[in-house]
Amino acid sequence: MNPLSNPDRAGSGIITESTVEVDTDGVDSLWSDEASVYTTSIASVHEWKFGRRYSPGSYQYPNDEPEQARLNICHDAFYYLLQDRHFLAPINPDGMRILDIGTGTGVWPIEMGNEHPSSQIIGIDLSPIQPQWAPPNVEFIMEDVEDDWTETQPFDYIHCRYMASSISDWPRLVQRCYEHLKPGGWVEFLETIPFPYSEDGSLEPTHKFVELMRLLSDACNHVGRPLDPGPSLRGWLQDAGFTSIQPRRVKCPIGTWPKEKRLKEAGLLIALNLIEGVDAFTAAPFREVMDWPPDEITAFNEAVRRDLRQRSVHALVDIMVVTAQKPE
């Protein structure tokens, strides 16, 4: 697929935003000292390779403190992009039993638990990197979501976010969500569409971020863990039996070039995520799958960072959010 043409950007039932306006007067604040830095606590289950710490198993990315910081940056960016909301499903979480798949640092359950103290929230992840402190209504379980689920009591709402390149059998995961929901329960998926584009032609096919996404997508497909499940989610949900399926696309800028403040802040965080995270994206996939030598990876990563700092390039990716309900 040509990442600049991206034919999946339009379709029946998809909600799109208007063209993102470029800030022609603003100062580039992407590299200011005000950029946030995040850390969380870490447990001891891990292995080391390529100078990074990983969870044992099939997950391709690190679980160390720099990666935790990146995941928390993504959380804040998604929160901005969803208009200061943690979810789009038409639910009232109060009193609900909620599951968060691939909870990562646990920031989503913790914030939800604080806002909805009568709910019961369980976060599952391969890595025990969640903080020791959490609201009393939040619990974390170390579990591979592609194995048999240990939780047998059904949920009112299942939240699954940013799991691209982590799942080998998406239809099976969607079906499991259906089976573990109460009748009338809701599921919500959020995934980034990994094909960058621009609305003004400023993103060229030779841009290194475009190349990164193409190469990473190829590597993920090679190991059977696709990087772009978003466009297929609606069909998988229909096949599983879900109804009231609502897909939405949200434009996600990369960098501080948008004029609108919320998009500028989200773009700052997404750019930081990519610039700080490119080593994590390439370390294992480029070495183990593509067999690149370390010096070539280092040079490529620096080229990606350089191109991402170009404020004259008004790059975007789309965020796909799909909500659906299990029939009563």
Side-chain angles (χ1 to χ4, degrees):
M1 178 185 294
N2 182 345
L4 300 183
S5 61
N6 198 7
D8 289 325
R9 287 190 58 240
S12 174
I14 302 297
I15 300 174
T16 58
E17 298 179 354
S18 59
T19 301
V20 178
E21 188 175 358
V22 177
D23 181 6
T24 58
D25 301 320
V27 177
D28 188 358
S29 61
L30 185 54
W31 318 120
S32 73
D33 292 336
E34 296 178 1
S36 297
V37 177
Y38 302 81
T39 58
T40 59
S41 61
I42 183 69
S44 60
V45 180
H46 58 261
E47 61 181 80
W48 288 90
K49 58 183 178 180
F50 316 129
R52 303 294 300 264
R53 183 177 57 210
Y54 290 78
S55 298
S58 57
Y59 186 64
Q60 301 182 80
Y61 307 115
N63 69 356
D64 51 20
E65 290 187 1
E67 179 68 358
Q68 294 173 53
R70 186 188 73 81
L71 293 175
N72 284 341
I73 288 172
C74 287
H75 168 81
D76 282 356
F78 295 149
Y79 185 73
Y80 280 126
L81 291 168
L82 298 186
Q83 304 290 315
D84 294 348
R85 297 184 62 180
H86 287 112
F87 58 90
L88 295 184
I91 63 170
N92 177 0
D94 293 336
M96 280 191 167
R97 179 172 160 82
I98 297 171
L99 176 67
D100 184 39
I101 292 174
T103 197
T105 64
V107 62
W108 188 90
I110 288 171
E111 292 184 2
M112 284 285 288
N114 283 326
E115 293 177 10
H116 305 280
S118 64
S119 63
Q120 179 191 2
I121 307 175
I122 296 174
I124 61 173
D125 200 275
L126 282 172
S127 296
I129 59 174
Q130 303 76 36
Q132 296 296 315
W133 53 264
N137 58 329
V138 174
E139 177 186 2
F140 297 116
I141 297 175
M142 184 178 174
E143 183 171 290
D144 188 339
V145 73
E146 295 202 276
D147 292 339
D148 292 335
W149 292 15
T150 57
E151 285 291 319
T152 57
Q153 184 179 347
F155 295 93
D156 299 284
Y157 171 60
I158 296 178
H159 177 260
C160 182
R161 182 179 71 177
Y162 207 32
M163 293 292 284
S165 76
S166 301
I167 302 299
S168 62
D169 191 341
W170 276 94
R172 183 167 178 248
L173 174 61
V174 173
Q175 185 65 48
R176 280 185 166 176
C177 290
Y178 185 92
E179 294 167 355
H180 285 80
L181 276 173
K182 298 176 183 178
W186 286 83
V187 68
E188 180 164 346
F189 292 90
L190 184 153
E191 292 295 337
T192 303
I193 309 299
F195 303 112
Y197 64 97
S198 62
E199 298 176 317
D200 59 3
S202 60
L203 181 66
E204 299 288 343
T206 55
H207 195 280
K208 287 299 181 180
F209 178 53
V210 174
E211 185 178 356
L212 169 66
M213 290 295 98
R214 177 179 59 80
L215 291 170
L216 190 57
S217 181
D218 290 345
C220 291
N221 287 336
H222 184 80
V223 298
R225 296 179 180 273
L227 190 63
D228 59 341
S232 301
L233 283 167
R234 183 174 190 169
W236 293 331
L237 288 161
Q238 288 175 333
D239 292 344
F242 283 98
T243 59
S244 302
I245 302 170
Q246 178 63 71
R248 302 172 176 88
R249 283 183 187 258
V250 180
K251 292 180 181 179
C252 176
I254 301 168
T256 57
W257 59 264
K259 186 173 184 178
E260 198 274 319
K261 181 182 178 184
R262 180 183 298 274
L263 292 178
K264 185 186 292 289
E265 291 171 339
L268 166 65
L269 294 173
I270 290 297
L272 287 172
N273 150 61
L274 294 169
I275 289 168
E276 297 298 326
V278 65
D279 287 330
F281 301 153
T282 59
F286 279 33
R287 283 175 171 84
E288 296 179 340
V289 180
M290 300 168 60
D291 200 27
W292 280 31
D295 57 340
E296 289 188 18
I297 297 175
T298 299
F300 178 77
N301 290 349
E302 186 52 42
V304 171
R305 294 188 189 97
R306 181 196 64 226
D307 280 8
L308 285 169
R309 291 186 174 100
Q310 296 175 355
R311 197 171 188 271
S312 61
V313 176
H314 306 140
L316 303 106
V317 292
D318 287 342
I319 304 296
M320 174 71 78
V321 184
V322 188
T323 58
Q325 186 178 31
K326 181 175 181 176
E328 296 277 0

